[in-house]
Amino acid sequence: SRFETCWPALMKDSHGVIIIFNPELPSHLKEIEMWYSCFVQQQPLLDSQCLLVAHHKPGSAGDTENLSLAYPLNKLKLIHSNLEDDPEDVRMEFIKYFRSIITIINESREREEMSIIS
């Protein structure tokens, strides 16, 4: 939390938020609610502009693939990354996410231009 003074600068003009967490740490599950609240809800960004990444460390145990998050986090796109198993899957998900952000940016830019014209 010592970086909280930097948050407004980080948030300024941001178009997307990726929250990466360790699903095996209960403290992380609580923290991602705070990150979501500060960086997504208060901006405000759309839920589609946020991506949750549950990162599984090599050799990690536990049945965290079936992670069920509580509202409002359960509305967000959640991907599981395990770079030992399937880095290609994660790469494809990132590309999809970035494409969706670019679409949102282009649509809002077009709306702005139309409002200036009219």
Side-chain angles (χ1 to χ4, degrees):
S1 63
R2 60 176 182 233
F3 296 117
E4 279 181 44
T5 49
C6 308
W7 289 1
L10 286 173
M11 292 189 231
K12 186 175 164 19
D13 299 332
S14 64
H15 296 291
V17 175
I18 298 173
I19 300 172
I20 301 172
F21 64 100
N22 181 344
E24 290 173 43
L25 294 180
S27 62
H28 273 205
L29 298 180
K30 286 255 52 88
E31 278 176 35
I32 54 178
E33 288 178 23
M34 182 211 46
W35 292 114
Y36 171 74
S37 166
C38 293
F39 280 84
V40 181
Q41 288 179 312
Q42 287 175 32
Q43 288 227 63
L45 293 176
L46 301 169
D47 285 340
S48 56
Q49 287 168 278
C50 182
L51 178 66
L52 290 181
V53 181
H55 184 64
H56 301 267
K57 289 185 172 168
S60 61
D63 183 28
T64 47
E65 287 282 335
N66 299 319
L67 191 63
S68 61
L69 296 171
Y71 180 86
L73 298 173
N74 60 4
K75 302 181 301 177
L76 304 175
K77 172 88 176 142
L78 169 68
I79 65 171
H80 290 271
S81 77
N82 181 334
L83 301 180
E84 277 184 320
D85 289 357
D86 218 339
E88 191 53 33
D89 261 16
V90 175
R91 207 171 71 88
M92 290 312 297
E93 288 293 350
F94 269 102
I95 289 169
K96 269 196 290 195
Y97 169 71
F98 287 125
R99 281 197 183 128
S100 73
I101 295 294
I102 290 165
T103 303
I104 289 168
I105 294 168
N106 288 339
E107 284 170 358
S108 74
R109 194 169 290 152
E110 280 168 21
R111 273 198 304 274
E112 274 172 33
E113 286 168 2
M114 290 310 290
S115 69
I116 291 167
I117 292 166
S118 58

